[in-house]
PDB file of all heavy atoms in Angstrom:
ATOM      1  N   HIS A 102     -28.330 -55.545  -0.343  1.00 77.00           N
ATOM      2  CA  HIS A 102     -27.261 -55.191  -1.266  1.00 77.00           C
ATOM      3  C   HIS A 102     -27.472 -55.850  -2.603  1.00 77.00           C
ATOM      4  O   HIS A 102     -27.132 -57.020  -2.795  1.00 77.00           O
ATOM      5  CB  HIS A 102     -25.892 -55.566  -0.661  1.00 77.00           C
ATOM      6  CG  HIS A 102     -25.736 -55.019   0.738  1.00 77.00           C
ATOM      7  ND1 HIS A 102     -25.546 -53.704   1.031  1.00 77.00           N
ATOM      8  CD2 HIS A 102     -25.771 -55.669   1.925  1.00 77.00           C
ATOM      9  CE1 HIS A 102     -25.459 -53.536   2.325  1.00 77.00           C
ATOM     10  NE2 HIS A 102     -25.596 -54.726   2.896  1.00 77.00           N
ATOM     11  N   TYR A 103     -27.998 -55.105  -3.553  1.00 80.00           N
ATOM     12  CA  TYR A 103     -28.323 -55.612  -4.865  1.00 80.00           C
ATOM     13  C   TYR A 103     -27.198 -55.319  -5.842  1.00 80.00           C
ATOM     14  O   TYR A 103     -26.509 -54.288  -5.741  1.00 80.00           O
ATOM     15  CB  TYR A 103     -29.599 -55.016  -5.399  1.00 80.00           C
ATOM     16  CG  TYR A 103     -30.794 -55.380  -4.545  1.00 80.00           C
ATOM     17  CD1 TYR A 103     -31.298 -54.478  -3.624  1.00 80.00           C
ATOM     18  CD2 TYR A 103     -31.413 -56.591  -4.679  1.00 80.00           C
ATOM     19  CE1 TYR A 103     -32.401 -54.812  -2.838  1.00 80.00           C
ATOM     20  CE2 TYR A 103     -32.490 -56.939  -3.904  1.00 80.00           C
ATOM     21  CZ  TYR A 103     -32.994 -56.016  -2.983  1.00 80.00           C
ATOM     22  OH  TYR A 103     -34.062 -56.336  -2.197  1.00 80.00           O
ATOM     23  N   VAL A 104     -27.042 -56.207  -6.822  1.00 84.00           N
ATOM     24  CA  VAL A 104     -26.076 -56.021  -7.901  1.00 84.00           C
ATOM     25  C   VAL A 104     -26.846 -56.045  -9.195  1.00 84.00           C
ATOM     26  O   VAL A 104     -27.579 -57.002  -9.433  1.00 84.00           O
ATOM     27  CB  VAL A 104     -24.977 -57.095  -7.889  1.00 84.00           C
ATOM     28  CG1 VAL A 104     -24.059 -56.945  -9.105  1.00 84.00           C
ATOM     29  CG2 VAL A 104     -24.222 -57.072  -6.602  1.00 84.00           C
ATOM     30  N   ASN A 105     -26.707 -55.000  -9.976  1.00 89.00           N
ATOM     31  CA  ASN A 105     -27.402 -54.939 -11.240  1.00 89.00           C
ATOM     32  C   ASN A 105     -26.426 -55.216 -12.352  1.00 89.00           C
ATOM     33  O   ASN A 105     -25.435 -54.491 -12.531  1.00 89.00           O
ATOM     34  CB  ASN A 105     -28.024 -53.558 -11.417  1.00 89.00           C
ATOM     35  CG  ASN A 105     -28.926 -53.452 -12.576  1.00 89.00           C
ATOM     36  OD1 ASN A 105     -29.267 -54.442 -13.199  1.00 89.00           O
ATOM     37  ND2 ASN A 105     -29.361 -52.248 -12.900  1.00 89.00           N
ATOM     38  N   CYS A 106     -26.634 -56.329 -13.043  1.00 90.00           N
ATOM     39  CA  CYS A 106     -25.692 -56.624 -14.128  1.00 90.00           C
ATOM     40  C   CYS A 106     -26.463 -57.011 -15.403  1.00 90.00           C
ATOM     41  O   CYS A 106     -27.400 -57.827 -15.339  1.00 90.00           O
ATOM     42  CB  CYS A 106     -24.706 -57.728 -13.735  1.00 90.00           C
ATOM     43  SG  CYS A 106     -25.452 -59.354 -13.632  1.00 90.00           S
ATOM     44  N   PRO A 107     -26.077 -56.434 -16.516  1.00 94.00           N
ATOM     45  CA  PRO A 107     -26.753 -56.770 -17.788  1.00 94.00           C
ATOM     46  C   PRO A 107     -26.203 -58.120 -18.304  1.00 94.00           C
ATOM     47  O   PRO A 107     -25.002 -58.382 -18.212  1.00 94.00           O
ATOM     48  CB  PRO A 107     -26.379 -55.592 -18.705  1.00 94.00           C
ATOM     49  CG  PRO A 107     -25.092 -55.081 -18.154  1.00 94.00           C
ATOM     50  CD  PRO A 107     -25.132 -55.331 -16.676  1.00 94.00           C
ATOM     51  N   LEU A 108     -27.097 -58.938 -18.832  1.00 94.00           N
ATOM     52  CA  LEU A 108     -26.706 -60.209 -19.447  1.00 94.00           C
ATOM     53  C   LEU A 108     -27.106 -60.207 -20.919  1.00 94.00           C
ATOM     54  O   LEU A 108     -28.118 -59.605 -21.260  1.00 94.00           O
ATOM     55  CB  LEU A 108     -27.396 -61.377 -18.725  1.00 94.00           C
ATOM     56  CG  LEU A 108     -27.129 -61.577 -17.251  1.00 94.00           C
ATOM     57  CD1 LEU A 108     -28.008 -62.669 -16.686  1.00 94.00           C
ATOM     58  CD2 LEU A 108     -25.679 -61.873 -16.995  1.00 94.00           C
ATOM     59  N   ASN A 109     -26.317 -60.904 -21.724  1.00 96.00           N
ATOM     60  CA  ASN A 109     -26.736 -61.004 -23.101  1.00 96.00           C
ATOM     61  C   ASN A 109     -27.898 -62.023 -23.191  1.00 96.00           C
ATOM     62  O   ASN A 109     -28.155 -62.778 -22.263  1.00 96.00           O
ATOM     63  CB  ASN A 109     -25.558 -61.362 -24.014  1.00 96.00           C
ATOM     64  CG  ASN A 109     -24.936 -62.695 -23.650  1.00 96.00           C
ATOM     65  OD1 ASN A 109     -25.474 -63.449 -22.885  1.00 96.00           O
ATOM     66  ND2 ASN A 109     -23.793 -62.962 -24.253  1.00 96.00           N
ATOM     67  N   TYR A 110     -28.537 -62.086 -24.322  1.00 96.00           N
ATOM     68  CA  TYR A 110     -29.758 -62.876 -24.500  1.00 96.00           C
ATOM     69  C   TYR A 110     -29.490 -64.396 -24.258  1.00 96.00           C
ATOM     70  O   TYR A 110     -30.255 -65.049 -23.560  1.00 96.00           O
ATOM     71  CB  TYR A 110     -30.279 -62.664 -25.902  1.00 96.00           C
ATOM     72  CG  TYR A 110     -31.600 -63.375 -26.168  1.00 96.00           C
ATOM     73  CD1 TYR A 110     -32.801 -62.887 -25.683  1.00 96.00           C
ATOM     74  CD2 TYR A 110     -31.597 -64.575 -26.903  1.00 96.00           C
ATOM     75  CE1 TYR A 110     -33.988 -63.565 -25.887  1.00 96.00           C
ATOM     76  CE2 TYR A 110     -32.782 -65.249 -27.126  1.00 96.00           C
ATOM     77  CZ  TYR A 110     -33.970 -64.746 -26.628  1.00 96.00           C
ATOM     78  OH  TYR A 110     -35.164 -65.412 -26.861  1.00 96.00           O
ATOM     79  N   GLU A 111     -28.407 -64.905 -24.823  1.00 96.00           N
ATOM     80  CA  GLU A 111     -28.103 -66.338 -24.664  1.00 96.00           C
ATOM     81  C   GLU A 111     -27.832 -66.730 -23.215  1.00 96.00           C
ATOM     82  O   GLU A 111     -28.295 -67.742 -22.754  1.00 96.00           O
ATOM     83  CB  GLU A 111     -26.908 -66.744 -25.558  1.00 96.00           C
ATOM     84  CG  GLU A 111     -27.178 -66.652 -27.053  1.00 96.00           C
ATOM     85  CD  GLU A 111     -26.995 -65.222 -27.576  1.00 96.00           C
ATOM     86  OE1 GLU A 111     -26.317 -64.411 -26.949  1.00 96.00           O
ATOM     87  OE2 GLU A 111     -27.580 -64.932 -28.644  1.00 96.00           O
ATOM     88  N   THR A 112     -27.078 -65.882 -22.524  1.00 95.00           N
ATOM     89  CA  THR A 112     -26.764 -66.133 -21.117  1.00 95.00           C
ATOM     90  C   THR A 112     -28.030 -66.119 -20.260  1.00 95.00           C
ATOM     91  O   THR A 112     -28.191 -67.001 -19.411  1.00 95.00           O
ATOM     92  CB  THR A 112     -25.739 -65.111 -20.567  1.00 95.00           C
ATOM     93  OG1 THR A 112     -24.596 -65.098 -21.453  1.00 95.00           O
ATOM     94  CG2 THR A 112     -25.314 -65.481 -19.183  1.00 95.00           C
ATOM     95  N   LYS A 113     -28.875 -65.172 -20.505  1.00 95.00           N
ATOM     96  CA  LYS A 113     -30.125 -65.062 -19.775  1.00 95.00           C
ATOM     97  C   LYS A 113     -30.982 -66.277 -20.013  1.00 95.00           C
ATOM     98  O   LYS A 113     -31.591 -66.848 -19.076  1.00 95.00           O
ATOM     99  CB  LYS A 113     -30.885 -63.781 -20.161  1.00 95.00           C
ATOM    100  CG  LYS A 113     -32.240 -63.618 -19.585  1.00 95.00           C
ATOM    101  CD  LYS A 113     -32.152 -63.294 -18.129  1.00 95.00           C
ATOM    102  CE  LYS A 113     -33.507 -63.198 -17.427  1.00 95.00           C
ATOM    103  NZ  LYS A 113     -34.286 -62.042 -17.632  1.00 95.00           N
ATOM    104  N   LYS A 114     -31.079 -66.747 -21.251  1.00 96.00           N
ATOM    105  CA  LYS A 114     -31.879 -67.939 -21.564  1.00 96.00           C
ATOM    106  C   LYS A 114     -31.291 -69.172 -20.900  1.00 96.00           C
ATOM    107  O   LYS A 114     -32.039 -70.036 -20.399  1.00 96.00           O
ATOM    108  CB  LYS A 114     -32.016 -68.128 -23.101  1.00 96.00           C
ATOM    109  CG  LYS A 114     -32.922 -67.112 -23.768  1.00 96.00           C
ATOM    110  CD  LYS A 114     -34.328 -67.251 -23.174  1.00 96.00           C
ATOM    111  CE  LYS A 114     -35.243 -66.234 -23.706  1.00 96.00           C
ATOM    112  NZ  LYS A 114     -36.535 -66.217 -23.053  1.00 96.00           N
ATOM    113  N   ARG A 115     -29.981 -69.310 -20.921  1.00 96.00           N
ATOM    114  CA  ARG A 115     -29.364 -70.434 -20.229  1.00 96.00           C
ATOM    115  C   ARG A 115     -29.624 -70.429 -18.728  1.00 96.00           C
ATOM    116  O   ARG A 115     -29.885 -71.448 -18.123  1.00 96.00           O
ATOM    117  CB  ARG A 115     -27.842 -70.413 -20.477  1.00 96.00           C
ATOM    118  CG  ARG A 115     -27.490 -70.843 -21.899  1.00 96.00           C
ATOM    119  CD  ARG A 115     -26.013 -70.735 -22.216  1.00 96.00           C
ATOM    120  NE  ARG A 115     -25.080 -71.008 -21.125  1.00 96.00           N
ATOM    121  CZ  ARG A 115     -23.937 -70.376 -20.994  1.00 96.00           C
ATOM    122  NH1 ARG A 115     -23.551 -69.446 -21.838  1.00 96.00           N
ATOM    123  NH2 ARG A 115     -23.137 -70.698 -19.998  1.00 96.00           N
TER     124      ARG A 115
END
Side-chain angles (χ1 to χ4, degrees):
H102 308 289
Y103 297 100
V104 175
N105 189 9
C106 71
L108 299 174
N109 61 11
Y110 183 77
E111 293 82 22
T112 306
K113 174 72 184 284
K114 287 299 176 187
R115 286 175 35 214

